Amino acid sequence: MLQDKITQYTAEINAFSTSNADELEQFRIKFLGTKGIIKDIFDEFKAVSPEEKRTLGKVLNEFKQLAEARYQSLKEETEVAVSSKDSGLDLTLPGEGFDVGSRHPLALVRREIIEIFSKLGFVVAEGPEIEDDWHNFSALNFPEEHPARDMQDTFFIKKGGEKGDIALRTHTSSVQVRMMEHGKPPFRAIMPGRVYRNEAISARAHCFFHQIEGLYVDENVSFADLKQTLFYFVQELYGEGTKVRFRPSYFPFTEPSAEMDISCTICKGAGCPMCKYSGWVEILGCGMVDPNVLENCGIDSKKYSGFAFGMGIERIANLKYEIKDLRFFSENDARFLKQYKTSLI
Ligand code: DAH
């Protein structure tokens, strides 16, 4: 009997809530008042048998504590509500949302690329944006006065210097050289970074952009390894079934060299403005590291071979998000940037 009452009142107390002082006072009188329920129950308790007293005593005390604790906590809440209303503040009003910002689309794409290559054991390496001629050109097999240097219009900063003219790096291939100079094979790294070229700014060209370079050097590395690595990358990035093709090309630092195209991610090969109705888009340059480059970096080219590749992050992002004008990436227009909300931090 008494146990049943306690169970029922416990449920009532737990369910009770208010921030109104009058209602709370009613609650106090009902349960904790001098003629209240707790008083009644304690009176009834006096009449129960001694065995029952032992078990019920504890239950009863807990019940009393519950009623008191509930009263105290509601009292505090009520006081806050009252005092904040007095001061003109109502802390019970709902809060205002705030803008959490978003990741830059280039940062999102860079991270995705890094994640894919890290599954293949590639680590991330970085190098300086202000480079000397040796690291940006000479060590990469660009001969002095060779027209290949014109492939990349350079911003020169200073003439002369121990390792040649100082310039803003024109590509992240310079980081390959730094990595190989300072370590021992095997090397397996990707190197993201900003690069600069002296070009007129338009929808399709900019004086700075971003690249990711890749380098893999070990014994017996072959062109087949290069193809399989890049094939895997493309399937991961653009989905299974994306086709790749390699076209012969020229870079001073690789031999043989190739450019890799993928089947157009927008029209799936049917033909659209993005792929200029060819069904294919070029996404990167690659090749087997020229033995001269290995030797320039102090690596035995008889023992080691390697492959390298380099891609523009803007280009990859364009294909992913169909961004038609390169200038959007650097204009910091919040209307553009906030479209790339992501749950990834
Ligand atoms: N450095 C080249 C560029 O900026 C891209 C590139 C091509 C990097 C082929 C490579 C490579 O490592 O093997 O256009």
Side-chain angles (χ1 to χ4, degrees):
M1 264 296 285
L2 202 48
Q3 176 67 66
D4 289 349
K5 270 192 193 168
I6 292 172
T7 312
Q8 181 205 327
Y9 286 132
T10 301
E12 189 180 329
I13 290 171
N14 281 331
F16 178 75
S17 183
T18 185
S19 55
N20 177 300
D22 290 340
E23 279 174 24
L24 184 62
E25 182 58 8
Q26 293 305 317
F27 173 85
R28 189 192 66 77
I29 293 167
K30 180 174 176 187
F31 286 97
L32 301 162
T34 42
K35 293 182 185 148
I37 287 167
I38 295 193
K39 168 85 171 44
D40 285 353
I41 290 180
F42 269 89
D43 286 345
E44 272 186 57
F45 178 70
K46 285 182 194 144
V48 302
S49 65
E51 308 88 75
E52 260 190 297
K53 269 203 174 115
R54 239 173 286 132
T55 50
L56 264 181
K58 191 164 169 268
V59 176
L60 203 55
N61 274 322
E62 280 170 4
F63 173 65
K64 187 178 171 203
Q65 280 163 12
L66 171 77
E68 282 168 353
R70 189 85 192 115
Y71 173 69
Q72 276 309 324
S73 77
L74 286 172
K75 194 170 159 213
E76 278 160 30
E77 282 178 34
T78 310
E79 278 163 4
V80 170
V82 169
S83 72
S84 60
K85 271 201 185 113
D86 289 347
S87 64
L89 285 171
D90 184 354
L91 299 184
T92 62
L93 284 176
E96 276 177 34
F98 54 91
D99 215 342
V100 290
S102 56
R103 289 268 161 195
H104 194 284
L106 293 178
L108 291 175
V109 172
R110 177 184 56 201
R111 176 166 50 196
E112 208 178 335
I113 297 172
I114 289 173
E115 272 168 16
I116 296 171
F117 281 105
S118 66
K119 288 192 223 166
L120 296 176
F122 283 73
V123 297
V124 175
E126 284 182 356
E129 292 182 18
I130 297 175
E131 242 334 341
D132 51 49
D133 180 276
W134 170 253
H135 292 96
N136 198 80
F137 292 120
S138 298
L140 288 164
N141 209 28
F142 284 79
E144 228 25 78
E145 310 302 332
H146 191 278
R149 285 181 194 245
D150 296 340
M151 283 166 76
Q152 307 185 340
D153 303 295
T154 312
F155 283 117
F156 285 101
I157 294 179
K158 213 169 94 189
K159 280 261 163 225
E162 206 185 308
K163 300 219 161 189
D165 297 345
I166 306 295
L168 294 177
R169 69 179 173 195
T170 59
H171 54 181
T172 42
S173 303
S174 53
V175 190
Q176 279 187 33
V177 179
R178 291 192 171 267
M179 186 166 206
M180 290 194 279
E181 272 178 349
H182 292 111
K184 284 197 167 61
F187 300 105
R188 199 179 334 172
I190 51 170
M191 304 150 228
R194 181 175 284 183
V195 302
Y196 302 83
R197 292 191 193 171
N198 193 353
E199 295 209 31
I201 297 171
S202 71
R204 301 170 59 82
H206 211 294
C207 60
F208 66 81
F209 56 100
H210 300 80
Q211 291 187 328
I212 292 197
E213 185 81 11
L215 176 72
Y216 182 24
V217 176
D218 202 348
E219 289 177 39
N220 302 318
V221 176
S222 72
F223 203 90
D225 298 317
L226 165 65
K227 283 174 94 173
Q228 185 55 35
T229 302
L230 294 178
F231 179 76
Y232 171 80
F233 164 65
V234 167
Q235 305 306 301
E236 286 285 300
L237 188 67
Y238 290 113
E240 270 182 37
T242 312
K243 291 191 208 129
V244 302
R245 76 176 183 191
F246 291 82
R247 283 178 290 103
S249 185
Y250 172 76
F251 300 102
F253 35 90
T254 43
E255 182 59 35
S257 304
E259 273 165 328
M260 189 178 83
D261 299 340
I262 59 169
S263 49
C264 181
T265 53
I266 313 287
C267 65
K268 309 279 173 242
C272 70
M274 178 66 90
C275 60
K276 301 198 192 83
Y277 299 94
S278 70
W280 296 94
V281 278
E282 182 210 319
I283 64 160
L284 54 79
C286 57
M288 300 306 292
V289 181
D290 192 299
N292 287 341
V293 175
L294 294 175
E295 295 293 339
N296 285 340
C297 301
I299 289 167
D300 183 354
S301 63
K302 302 256 170 347
K303 187 165 177 210
Y304 294 103
S305 56
F307 66 73
F309 55 87
M311 67 187 104
I313 304 182
E314 278 81 350
R315 181 144 191 84
I316 306 284
N318 284 348
L319 284 172
K320 213 172 165 67
Y321 300 123
E322 293 181 60
I323 298 164
K324 303 232 158 46
D325 191 323
L326 269 180
R327 290 169 290 196
F328 282 135
F329 288 121
S330 50
E331 277 171 351
N332 273 343
D333 185 333
R335 291 168 304 177
F336 168 72
L337 296 172
K338 73 180 176 198
Q339 298 175 76
Y340 303 96
K341 282 231 157 46
T342 168
S343 56
L344 300 170
I345 303 293

